[in-house]
Amino acid sequence: MTKRAPDVSASPPRRRSKYTLAPLVLIAGNVVLFALFFAWPAVIGLVYSFTNYTGVGAFQFVGLDNYSNLAGDSTFFDALTRTLLYTVLFVPLNFVFSLLIANVLVSKHAKGVSVARVFFFIPWLLSPIVVGVLWRWLFGENFGLVNHLIEKFGGSAVPWQSNADLSLLVVVVAASWAWTGFSMLLFIAAIKNVPVSYYEAASLDGAGPWRQFLNITLPSIAPTSFIVILLNTIHAMKEYPLFAALNNGGPGTSNNLLVQYIYQTGFKSGQIGYASAASFVLMLILMAVAIIQLIVNRRVENR
């Protein structure tokens, strides 16, 4: 009886199957989480935005009434305006501050770089609630450390909380302080990837540090700058816990941002459908910002 020759055309060994199955299992887990915690709530929110749902009982479809009512809601536009103002102030301040620190820390003349990185990164690890409480202790009108020092040196207490503009400014500075560490790390990584030969060639041509920064560093880190601006813009447009902990959008409601308006409308006033419509307006604004920044970034890269 002759032995049967092995079939070379047989299917590949089963061992390969686990290398195919493992990625599918991992991806499936992410897909399920994405569907449960993002896609499904988004669909439900979109449906509620066309209803008069109050959070309890049944609801009726009202078409585009919620969106048309938003167009005439002055409180909504006040919150939106204050949100845009906060974003316009926060994003450039954080960008400049974090880029300045990153440039100092990558300098060959800098000392104690490791300690400085940890020092600037610690605020980003803190909860926004903790950051808000810390800055309220600093800038409280009656008990704050800053006013105590001002009065000790003969000055008058500054209305950090009762003046709407100063109150917003305190939150802007506190948020920039808290987010500097994250942006700084991104800039440090980007600056270190710039070829040293560029700076050596510029030095031979007589370019000073400021000219090297403008003509070499800034263009080379443009993609990272784009990411930093985009992330900070999205974060600023959705800011809520820092305001709640520091001054609760005060004085009064003058510094209520859009997310605070959505929370108060939906959960305190029981207008879930109306708040859902405001949420989708915010989402459309964020999508528009991301698309515009993406187009601008591509044009800059293609130059």
Side-chain angles (χ1 to χ4, degrees), residues 33-105:
L33 292 175
F34 179 80
L36 282 177
F37 296 106
F38 180 78
W40 178 245
V43 172
I44 291 295
L46 180 61
V47 173
Y48 284 162
S49 71
F50 297 106
T51 70
N52 61 355
Y53 187 49
T54 60
V56 180
F59 56 80
Q60 294 179 342
F61 283 94
V62 294
L64 296 175
D65 286 357
N66 288 331
Y67 292 95
S68 61
N69 291 335
L70 279 177
D73 188 344
S74 61
T75 307
F76 168 76
F77 278 101
D78 289 342
L80 178 60
T81 303
R82 214 58 175 174
T83 302
L84 295 176
L85 178 60
Y86 169 73
T87 304
V88 169
L89 294 174
F90 164 73
V91 174
L93 183 62
N94 177 266
F95 182 91
V96 172
F97 196 35
S98 55
L99 182 57
L100 176 64
I101 295 175
N103 267 284
V104 171
L105 294 183

Side-chain angles (χ1 to χ4, degrees), residues 25-273:
V25 171
L26 294 175
I27 293 173
N30 285 300
V31 170
V32 171
L33 292 175
F34 179 80
L36 282 177
F37 296 106
F38 180 78
W40 178 245
V43 172
I44 291 295
L46 180 61
V47 173
Y48 284 162
S49 71
F50 297 106
T51 70
N52 61 355
Y53 187 49
T54 60
V56 180
F59 56 80
Q60 294 179 342
F61 283 94
V62 294
L64 296 175
D65 286 357
N66 288 331
Y67 292 95
S68 61
N69 291 335
L70 279 177
D73 188 344
S74 61
T75 307
F76 168 76
F77 278 101
D78 289 342
L80 178 60
T81 303
R82 214 58 175 174
T83 302
L84 295 176
L85 178 60
Y86 169 73
T87 304
V88 169
L89 294 174
F90 164 73
V91 174
L93 183 62
N94 177 266
F95 182 91
V96 172
F97 196 35
S98 55
L99 182 57
L100 176 64
I101 295 175
N103 267 284
V104 171
L105 294 183
V106 297
S107 170
K108 59 183 178 182
H109 304 294
K111 304 293 183 185
V113 173
S114 300
V115 176
R117 285 184 187 179
V118 174
F119 176 78
F120 287 112
F121 191 68
I122 284 177
W124 192 73
L125 300 176
L126 299 176
S127 162
I129 301 296
V130 176
V131 173
V133 172
L134 287 175
W135 281 74
R136 191 168 60 184
W137 287 345
L138 288 174
F139 289 92
E141 285 191 26
N142 300 321
F143 57 86
L145 177 62
V146 175
N147 272 353
H148 173 73
L149 294 175
I150 291 175
E151 290 177 341
K152 189 175 183 180
F153 287 100
S156 302
V158 179
W160 300 111
Q161 302 296 330
S162 56
N163 182 290
D165 295 332
L166 287 178
S167 179
L168 179 65
L169 186 62
V170 170
V171 181
V172 170
V173 177
S176 300
W177 174 78
W179 266 72
T180 291
F182 177 73
S183 304
M184 175 198 70
L185 288 184
L186 294 179
F187 281 131
I188 287 176
I191 293 173
K192 283 192 170 184
N193 283 329
V194 180
V196 180
S197 58
Y198 291 0
Y199 296 103
E200 294 174 346
S203 297
L204 292 176
D205 290 339
W210 177 244
R211 192 173 170 189
Q212 291 180 21
F213 175 76
L214 290 179
N215 296 333
I216 298 176
T217 304
L218 276 183
S220 300
I221 65 171
T224 302
S225 300
F226 163 74
I227 293 296
V228 169
I229 293 173
L230 179 61
L231 293 179
N232 284 344
T233 302
I234 293 174
H235 166 73
M237 294 289 291
K238 298 192 300 180
E239 182 62 82
Y240 173 72
L242 183 58
F243 273 85
L246 212 162
N247 55 29
N248 200 26
T253 58
S254 56
N255 280 325
N256 273 354
L257 300 191
L258 196 51
V259 175
Q260 287 175 284
Y261 172 83
I262 292 170
Y263 169 75
Q264 292 171 355
T265 304
F267 294 97
K268 290 190 174 180
S269 303
Q271 302 178 52
I272 299 295

